[in-house]
Amino acid sequence: MRTLDHVCINTLRFLSVDQVEKAKSGHPGFPLGTASLMYTVWDRFMRYNPEDPAWFNRDRFILSPGHGSALLYAMLHLAGYDLSLEELKNFRQWGSKTPGHPEYGHTPGVDVSTGPLGHGFAMGVGLAIAEVMMAARYNKDGYPVIDHYTYGLTSDGDLMEGVSSEAASLAGTLGLGKIIYLYDDNKITIEGDTDIAFSEDVESRFKSYDWQVLRVENSEDIDALANAMKEGQKDKEHPTLIMVRTHIGFGSPKQDSPLCHGEPLGTEALAATKEKAAWPNEMFYIPDEVREYFAKKKLASSAAEKEWEDLMNAYKKVYPELAAELADRLAGNVSIDLTELENIFTNKEKVATREASSDIIQKLAAIPAFTGGSADLGPSNKTIMKDCEFFSKLDRIGRNIHFGVREHAMGAAVNGMALHGGFIPFGATFLVFADFLRPAVRMAALMRLQSIFVFTHDSIAVGEDGPTHQPIETAMALRLIPNVSVFRPADALETATVWRQACLAKKPSCLLLSRQKLPVLHGFTDVIHNNAAKGGYVLSPAKENPKVVLIATGSEVHLALAAQKVLNGENIDVSVVSMPSWDAFEKQSADYKEKVLPAATIKIAVEAGVPWGWDYYTGNKNNVIGITTFGASAPGDLLMEKYGFTVENVVAKVKEAL
């Protein structure tokens, strides 16, 4: 029986495969198999407004298997977003709004960039944490001003990735009942049947994570899909996974075969698929009845936002202070003065930068949007806000988060909170474990999110824990990611600067902090306050015209200052440049960079990490004091000495260069 629902679903199917066919590139199998799922979510449940894609109280939608992007673009086009049919025809082409995988900030209506499998699933957990946390703070009886769901499609590939396991466990532990994911259970991967690599009982697994798990045996049964979604909405205490038996390449000659996963159907197979569905063999065909139906839905969608705006206006009159605070958060305003954070350390002489960070975090906790936690290392990372409770099933107000030993999911969840809006979120672990969440840092960079990653125990000075816990290559590896600010502060005062920058930046930040205590550079307070944000600056100038510039980061800045003192005593004039952030320094003018690193001088870099990359500034790979091997288990001071980070070695390197 032909119904409008099925006409709409087939419109989605064939708009999707037509995009792939025209581009001669893409993934037709997923849209053919899951168009009914996409339609059910968007038609029956999603609250959205195509005229205002960023409407704050909209439901969020995540296409976690982002390779199926053609289906999302077809849906957004029909729903009335600013995504023309011409854009669909330019799928995967230069300059189009329809890239191969969905990109947040590029295509109207895309809430999350996806593609690396598992990441969309995991970022949804952050979105859900953000929603329930804000709802607990701002909602009042009769005024549910924060009230939206996180919906998504997920796949076999997503569920194989470790990050989805971490995230699912966290979501169940926290009781995030406003996550509802439909699982594309098609039993096919690129290499063949899922049984070859994925034989687990997914239902039992997710039930053990404390999820509600529902089943729909026929993906074409819209009523069954809708009823399962309603059941998901009823359960406020458990996230919901709806397992839907789907068929990749549904209706095509290649149905249930991996052959339709990652390449166009081809002219003959596409024509046969359309014929079987009694669909015109015409590219990008949209029936008039479908256009008319979605035009009416668009009007209703706009009305939903208007109702929310009316509710917000009434809320402002009854709860003016909360309304003002909420408006500040949604605007991304920082509600405290960050200019004098250095004053925290006026009476401190020696402090590890992780401890300095802790003192600053206590100050930043006054910002309602400031929220985060650690991968079970809060006491070591020093990231616990002492006057805030811990977020849990029983405490939705708390702003400290126990992420557990789940670094990858933590990074993705932090990104989800940043995507949601209204938060300055952070996650913390040891620097050596940054590789566990590096893909999340990369995704934050792609989306230009204000995600803050706090990495402590930043070098071989960790000491007795040994080489497994001593990062050698990690700082340089993080610097290689475009659009990420990587800060390695020299002392408490620079730490204040980097936290200030992280709270104001509209991009991700990585803070690399020491375990060992470092002197507070009180003699350079004004210089640091005025210049550290530039990324690189002359901390201690030469007496006259220097022949050598010592460039250092983190704890090695103190080593450079000590070497400068010895060299001055021998009438060798050097300046010391602190460079806490390469990326910030690279944004400065050519004139400024020349003043800091004059071309006529010899430049020597000192950092307790791999030397590779520093020759960009020194001009000579031999003018770098670094470490090219893993560390060892011994007291940190002894390790620094054994690996050549001594005043004597720096002085000798300067003399050798001269």
Side-chain angles (χ1 to χ4, degrees):
M1 178 180 173
R2 181 181 185 276
T3 67
L4 179 58
D5 283 337
H6 286 98
V7 175
C8 290
I9 291 167
N10 278 336
T11 303
L12 287 172
R13 281 195 171 107
F14 293 115
L15 281 178
S16 301
V17 294
D18 286 349
Q19 290 176 67
V20 174
E21 199 67 29
K22 186 174 186 301
K24 296 182 171 53
S25 171
H27 301 75
F30 178 85
L32 286 170
T34 62
S36 54
L37 283 61
M38 178 74 80
Y39 174 76
T40 302
V41 174
W42 280 77
D43 181 65
R44 302 290 202 270
F45 298 95
M46 279 285 290
R47 286 197 309 164
Y48 61 92
N49 182 8
E51 297 294 335
D52 184 8
W55 170 35
F56 187 73
N57 204 41
R58 72 191 185 281
D59 292 327
R60 273 62 167 180
F61 179 81
I62 300 170
L63 183 69
S64 195
H67 58 267
S69 59
L71 177 59
L72 179 57
Y73 301 147
M75 186 71 253
L76 293 172
H77 171 72
L78 292 182
Y81 285 82
D82 182 19
L83 197 65
S84 68
L85 197 60
E86 287 304 310
E87 291 291 353
L88 269 59
K89 293 177 181 179
N90 285 324
F91 180 58
R92 287 182 163 229
Q93 303 308 302
W94 176 264
S96 77
K97 292 182 182 178
T98 50
H101 291 81
E103 296 180 24
Y104 169 77
H106 183 76
T107 307
V110 171
D111 288 322
V112 179
S113 292
T114 55
L117 289 173
H119 268 260
F121 184 108
M123 283 187 278
V125 174
L127 286 167
I129 290 172
E131 190 276 340
V132 72
M133 196 179 284
M134 291 191 79
R137 181 166 181 82
Y138 296 108
N139 287 359
K140 300 295 179 183
D141 288 343
Y143 296 94
V145 293
I146 308 294
D147 181 17
H148 47 266
Y149 281 85
T150 299
Y151 298 121
L153 299 188
T154 190
S155 66
D156 293 311
D158 283 309
L159 300 191
M160 291 185 205
E161 289 285 0
V163 66
S164 64
S165 299
E166 292 181 21
S169 175
L170 179 61
T173 300
L174 295 176
L176 301 177
K178 296 185 96 172
I179 294 176
I180 302 177
Y181 288 153
L182 284 85
Y183 167 33
D184 171 30
D185 185 13
N186 65 26
K187 305 190 183 304
I188 291 291
T189 67
I190 293 175
E191 295 184 354
D193 292 344
T194 52
D195 287 347
I196 62 176
F198 190 56
S199 60
E200 68 191 47
D201 183 341
V202 172
E203 180 176 1
S204 296
R205 170 184 159 197
F206 272 78
K207 284 182 176 178
S208 75
Y209 289 148
D210 211 14
W211 283 54
Q212 173 180 225
V213 182
L214 306 171
R215 281 187 177 270
V216 174
E217 294 302 329
N218 179 5
S219 61
E220 300 306 293
D221 188 341
I222 307 304
D223 290 337
L225 288 169
N227 287 335
M229 292 283 292
K230 290 173 184 174
E231 285 299 307
Q233 288 183 331
K234 287 178 185 176
D235 191 336
K236 306 297 184 186
E237 297 181 359
H238 304 88
T240 296
L241 183 74
I242 302 172
M243 301 179 65
V244 187
R245 181 65 177 101
T246 59
H247 297 274
I248 191 171
F250 180 81
S252 79
K254 300 179 182 180
Q255 179 176 315
D256 296 326
S257 164
L259 294 176
C260 64
H261 170 79
E263 60 186 45
L265 290 178
T267 304
E268 291 183 9
L270 178 56
T273 307
K274 289 181 177 180
E275 182 179 4
K276 184 175 181 180
W279 198 257
N281 193 11
E282 175 184 333
M283 296 290 280
F284 299 99
Y285 171 71
I286 303 175
D288 290 340
E289 60 190 310
V290 173
R291 287 194 182 279
E292 292 168 4
Y293 179 68
F294 279 102
K296 291 177 182 177
K297 284 192 68 68
K298 184 176 178 180
L299 292 174
S301 298
S302 298
E305 182 173 0
K306 179 63 169 61
E307 289 177 9
W308 181 73
E309 289 174 347
D310 291 342
L311 179 66
M312 281 298 302
N313 288 331
Y315 180 77
K316 291 174 186 176
K317 295 175 183 177
V318 183
Y319 301 102
E321 291 183 0
L322 281 175
E325 179 184 292
L326 177 57
D328 257 358
R329 289 180 67 167
L330 300 190
N333 297 332
V334 176
S335 53
I336 68 170
D337 182 7
L338 300 177
T339 59
E340 302 298 334
L341 289 176
E342 292 91 346
N343 292 345
I344 297 171
F345 307 106
T346 300
N347 297 316
K348 294 191 176 183
E349 294 302 320
K350 201 170 186 181
V351 58
T353 52
R354 65 167 176 162
E355 293 172 351
S357 171
S358 177
D359 291 339
I360 293 164
I361 284 172
Q362 307 319 311
K363 176 80 170 176
L364 298 177
I367 305 171
F370 190 72
T371 306
S374 168
D376 198 48
L377 289 170
S380 295
N381 297 143
K382 307 292 185 184
T383 47
I384 297 171
M385 292 176 276
K386 296 173 184 176
D387 293 331
C388 297
E389 300 301 320
F390 278 86
F391 178 77
S392 69
K393 278 185 181 180
L394 301 178
D395 183 354
R396 298 311 208 185
I397 296 291
R399 289 192 284 130
N400 290 298
I401 301 174
H402 289 300
F403 286 110
V405 187
R406 303 183 182 97
E407 291 90 351
H408 200 172
M410 174 182 71
V414 165
N415 289 346
M417 296 178 73
L419 281 162
H420 181 273
F423 286 87
I424 300 174
F426 70 88
T429 186
F430 292 164
L431 179 57
V432 77
F433 300 144
D435 285 341
F436 284 150
L437 59 86
R438 182 184 172 87
V441 178
R442 186 176 187 274
M443 291 301 292
L446 276 167
M447 292 184 278
R448 295 185 176 273
L449 302 179
Q450 191 180 13
S451 299
I452 301 174
F453 303 101
V454 180
F455 298 120
T456 67
H457 297 58
D458 73 337
S459 73
I460 57 171
V462 168
E464 291 86 350
D465 283 339
T468 62
H469 282 56
Q470 294 166 5
I472 302 303
E473 77 291 354
T474 318
M476 198 61 74
L478 289 170
R479 290 180 181 129
L480 293 176
I481 304 175
N483 198 45
V484 176
S485 283
V486 180
F487 300 103
R488 188 167 183 249
D491 78 329
L493 304 181
E494 280 196 358
T495 304
T497 296
V498 301
W499 261 116
R500 178 164 52 245
Q501 295 304 107
C503 286
L504 297 174
K506 301 305 178 187
K507 61 190 293 189
S509 300
C510 297
L511 280 57
L512 283 47
L513 307 174
S514 75
R515 177 193 188 188
Q516 75 275 27
K517 292 183 182 296
L518 301 173
V520 181
L521 296 168
H522 289 300
F524 303 92
T525 299
D526 290 341
V527 176
I528 292 171
H529 180 80
N530 294 327
N531 295 285
K534 298 172 185 174
Y537 64 103
V538 179
L539 176 66
S540 180
K543 293 178 180 178
E544 295 180 3
N545 295 318
K547 293 183 178 180
V548 177
V549 177
L550 290 174
I551 314 168
T553 75
S555 52
E556 289 72 70
V557 171
H558 302 272
L559 179 59
L561 288 170
Q564 180 193 40
K565 186 175 181 179
V566 171
L567 290 163
N568 283 346
E570 299 182 22
N571 294 317
I572 300 174
D573 213 4
V574 303
S575 66
V576 173
V577 167
S578 177
M579 192 176 284
S581 174
W582 282 26
D583 58 282
F585 184 65
E586 284 304 309
K587 288 182 174 60
Q588 307 308 312
S589 69
D591 286 345
Y592 175 80
K593 288 191 277 188
E594 169 62 22
K595 289 177 182 176
V596 176
L597 302 175
T601 59
I602 295 169
K603 288 165 279 288
I604 296 173
V606 188
E607 184 173 62
V610 293
W612 299 289
W614 274 111
D615 58 335
Y616 178 78
Y617 291 112
T618 65
N620 184 335
K621 64 182 181 181
N622 294 320
N623 285 0
V624 184
I625 299 174
I627 179 171
T628 58
T629 66
F630 292 115
S633 179
D637 289 346
L638 179 61
L639 288 178
M640 294 296 273
E641 177 186 337
K642 293 292 186 182
Y643 286 101
F645 295 97
T646 64
V647 172
E648 293 77 14
N649 197 29
V650 176
V651 168
K653 177 65 75 172
V654 170
K655 291 179 178 178
E656 176 189 332
L658 286 171

